[in-house]
Amino acid sequence: MMLPTTGAAPLILTLGLDEASTHFFNELRQRHFPPERNFLAAHLTLFHHLPGSQQAPIEQVLAASGKVQPPLALHVAGVQFLGQGVAYGLKSEALETLHQDLQRQWWPQLTPQDQQRRRPHVTVQNKVRPEVARALHEELTASFVPFEAMGTAFHLWAYRNGPWEWLRTFPFVG
């Protein structure tokens, strides 16, 4: 059963990345993301729509989890064509386990999109013509070498029908 939001802005939960990976993905976003749509730094979305009315209990879960969660090893496995954009796909059993644990805790409040298995990725281009996306995909794939990244924190955001509003960061210190 979905709890009513009572007018509170929906919450978005993302995974913070290590400084080097963040720089790498942000540089690509600056070059390839349409400037009129590029309001955010590179990010990996964990949940797209958590109920804003439940912000306090959600923050309690994230704070407790962050205290015991060590940084997550992430394998940047390849370049993905999204139809109208390009992303880098990431793999991590630890991230999958963490995401499933949060899903179980919040299941009754999740939208169908957030109840699905997560396919972790960082989008570096979106909302462009398919031929533009395909060209970038081919370019990035030709020089791609898999690499490792680290998930370092949860970032909680409010979605207010436009740019996201950062609310709080929960570092992984476990």
Side-chain angles (χ1 to χ4, degrees), residues 97-157:
T97 299
L98 176 61
H99 184 261
Q100 289 171 348
D101 180 53
L102 294 172
Q103 276 182 315
R104 277 190 293 277
Q105 292 183 62
W106 298 331
W107 191 262
Q109 303 169 62
L110 297 180
T111 63
Q113 180 182 24
D114 284 335
Q115 289 177 344
Q116 296 176 19
R117 181 172 181 233
R118 182 69 39 230
R119 289 191 173 92
H121 63 276
V122 177
T123 304
V124 296
Q125 181 188 61
N126 203 6
K127 311 286 190 214
V128 299
R129 292 186 328 275
E131 61 273 16
V132 173
R134 189 170 308 286
L136 179 61
H137 177 260
E138 290 172 6
E139 175 189 332
L140 295 177
T141 299
S143 61
F144 178 74
V145 176
F147 64 96
E148 303 305 310
M150 297 296 289
T152 60
F154 293 120
H155 295 290
L156 189 63
W157 307 81

